[in-house]
Amino acid sequence: GIATKLESAGIYDLMGLAVMSPSDLADLAGVGQAVARKAIQAARGMMELGFSDGAEFDRKRKDIHYITTGSENFNELLGGKGLESKAITEAYGAFGSGKTQLGLTLAVNAQLPKDQGGANGKAVYIDTEGTFRPDRIRQMAEALGANSDKVLKNILVARAFNSDHQILLLDKITELIKEQEEPIKLVIIDSLTAHFRAEFAGRGQLADRQQRLNRYLHQLMKLAEQHNLVVFVTNQVMSNPAMMFGDPTTAIGGNIVGHASTFRIYLRRGKAGSRVAKLIDSPNLPDNEAQFYVTEAGVRDDA
Ligand code: GTP
Ligand code: MG
C-alpha cells in the first residue's frame, strides 16, 4: 500500500511527510496532487510546523551537538567545538589536501564520549571513490586507546557506484537510523560530487547536474535536521584559469553546493607538511584560517 511505498522512499514518520512537496509525494505514492497536498497538510497540522517563537527556536538549537576535528585550531575556526549537527560541512581542496583523512578522523571521533568532543554515536561513510581505509581507522582508534575492532564496527560503510546509487543510499541511511540500537550521529559523503561530475560531463548537461546535486543536498539537509546529524561532505576543485591572483581553484558544483552547505572549508597544503583550513563565506563566523597536521593519529594541532 501507500505506507509501504512511503517507507521504501525513506519516509517513516510525520516529519518525513510534513517536509515533502506535494508533487514529490504524488510521484512517490502514486496518488493525485490533491490527495498528496491534503496528506502533507494533515501531517503539518499535527506537527505544528511553521513559525516558532525565539524561545522555541532556542530550544531547538539546544540539542545541536558537535564532533571534534581532532585539532583545537581547526575547531576554533568552526566556532570552538568542531563540526555542528543539523548542518552540512563541506571540505573542498586539491587531491591530497586531507579531505578523506579528515573524514576518517571524524568517523572515529564521533564515537568519543561528549566530554571528549565526540557524540557517543556511530558514523555512516558513503564512499564513492573506494578510499575508505580500515587500517587507517585502526591506527586512529589505537592512538586514542580505543578498541579498534569496536571502532570499525561502529562505522557503517557503503560504496556508491554511481550517482543514482549515491542518491539511493540516502534512503538507506534513514532505514539504518531506525534499525541501529546505538544512534548514528555522523554521515560522511566522500566525495559528494565526483560521480555527478563524471556522469554529467558534457556542456549541455551542466544544468541537469546542478539540479540533481541541488536536490541531493536538500535531501541531505533534511536528513541532518530530522535526525540531528553532523553531515560532512568532500568536494574536488577545478582550476579556474580566469582567476589571476591568489589560489586559482574553485569548488565543483559552485554556488549550488556553496549555498546548501552551512560551513564551507577550503583545504590546502601548508608549510613543512602542515595543512591549512580556511573558512569560506560563513554567515556568522570570520573567514579565518587554521593550521593543522595529518598525523598517524589523524587530524591534530601538531605534527
Ligand atoms: P583526493 O581524495 O585525492 O581529492 O584527496 P584528499 O583530499 O582526500 O586527500 P587525503 O585525505 O587522502 O590525504 C592524503 C594525504 O594524507 C597523504 O598525502 C598524506 O600526506 C596524509 N596521510 C595519509 N595517511 C597518513 C598516515 O598514515 N600518516 C600520516 N602522517 N599522514 C597520512
Ligand atoms: Mg579523498
Side-chain angles (χ1 to χ4, degrees):
I2 288 180
T4 322
K5 280 186 192 158
L6 290 178
E7 283 218 354
S8 65
I11 298 157
Y12 296 101
D13 49 19
L14 277 181
M15 178 58 111
L17 193 56
V19 297
M20 285 210 77
S21 77
S23 56
D24 283 352
L25 179 59
D27 285 351
L28 268 175
V31 297
Q33 290 251 1
V35 172
R37 183 166 289 112
K38 271 191 188 154
I40 291 166
Q41 275 166 0
R44 287 182 185 171
M46 280 185 256
M47 300 218 38
E48 297 176 26
L49 286 181
F51 288 102
S52 55
D53 60 39
E56 168 73 6
F57 186 83
D58 192 40
R59 194 187 59 69
K60 280 196 185 142
R61 288 273 319 170
K62 281 223 169 74
D63 47 75
I64 283 181
H65 64 85
Y66 299 85
I67 298 174
T68 178
T69 60
S71 150
E72 288 303 322
N73 292 342
F74 203 153
N75 288 350
E76 275 311 313
L77 183 78
L78 298 173
K81 298 181 205 161
L83 273 66
E84 191 172 301
S85 68
K86 300 191 181 179
I88 297 175
T89 302
E90 173 206 359
Y92 70 95
F95 122 91
S97 58
K99 305 179 294 291
T100 295
Q101 294 299 316
L102 176 58
L104 297 173
T105 306
L106 288 166
V108 173
N109 290 354
Q111 303 177 42
L112 287 167
K114 289 204 168 135
D115 60 7
Q116 288 176 42
N120 214 355
K122 296 188 176 188
V124 167
Y125 199 106
I126 308 290
D127 182 5
T128 70
E129 307 185 295
T131 51
F132 180 80
R133 290 282 173 274
D135 290 349
R136 265 307 264 152
I137 295 290
R138 283 185 189 282
Q139 274 184 336
M140 293 177 188
E142 276 155 21
L144 290 170
N147 176 335
S148 59
D149 288 329
K150 198 166 164 243
V151 170
L152 259 181
K153 257 195 164 357
N154 283 335
I155 305 172
L156 308 160
V157 187
R159 180 79 198 270
F161 292 100
N162 55 45
S163 66
D164 284 330
H165 188 204
Q166 188 179 332
I167 292 165
L168 259 176
L169 284 170
L170 276 195
D171 297 338
K172 281 274 170 217
I173 294 175
T174 312
E175 279 174 41
L176 275 178
I177 287 170
K178 276 192 65 179
E179 285 164 9
Q180 299 296 314
E181 279 169 31
E182 286 164 74
I184 290 168
K185 295 288 188 180
L186 168 69
V187 171
I188 295 160
I189 320 278
D190 183 20
S191 130
L192 169 74
T193 46
H195 282 317
F196 290 91
R197 183 192 197 185
E199 291 165 32
F200 300 86
R203 233 186 129 61
Q205 292 174 295
L206 191 64
D208 198 14
R209 182 188 85 184
Q210 292 300 79
Q211 198 181 1
R212 276 173 206 239
L213 256 177
N214 190 29
R215 204 183 150 110
Y216 181 73
L217 280 158
H218 278 91
Q219 282 180 318
L220 254 183
M221 190 62 209
K222 210 151 82 177
L223 198 71
E225 281 178 348
Q226 280 179 14
H227 303 287
N228 199 9
L229 303 170
V230 171
V231 174
F232 174 69
V233 304
T234 69
N235 193 2
Q236 275 74 29
V237 289
M238 53 188 176
S239 63
N240 180 354
M243 193 171 153
M244 283 189 285
F245 303 100
D247 198 343
T249 48
T250 321
I252 303 295
N255 285 337
I256 294 284
V257 181
H259 285 145
S261 309
T262 325
F263 299 93
R264 217 166 197 209
I265 305 159
Y266 176 52
L267 294 183
R268 65 171 198 273
R269 288 175 182 273
K271 280 181 210 148
S274 69
R275 319 263 155 176
V276 180
K278 184 182 195 328
L279 196 63
I280 309 286
D281 296 336
S282 173
N284 40 34
L285 292 169
D287 281 6
N288 289 339
E289 291 191 344
Q291 193 187 49
F292 70 95
Y293 290 84
V294 175
T295 74
E296 189 119 332
V299 168
R300 291 290 182 269
D301 276 337
D302 300 297

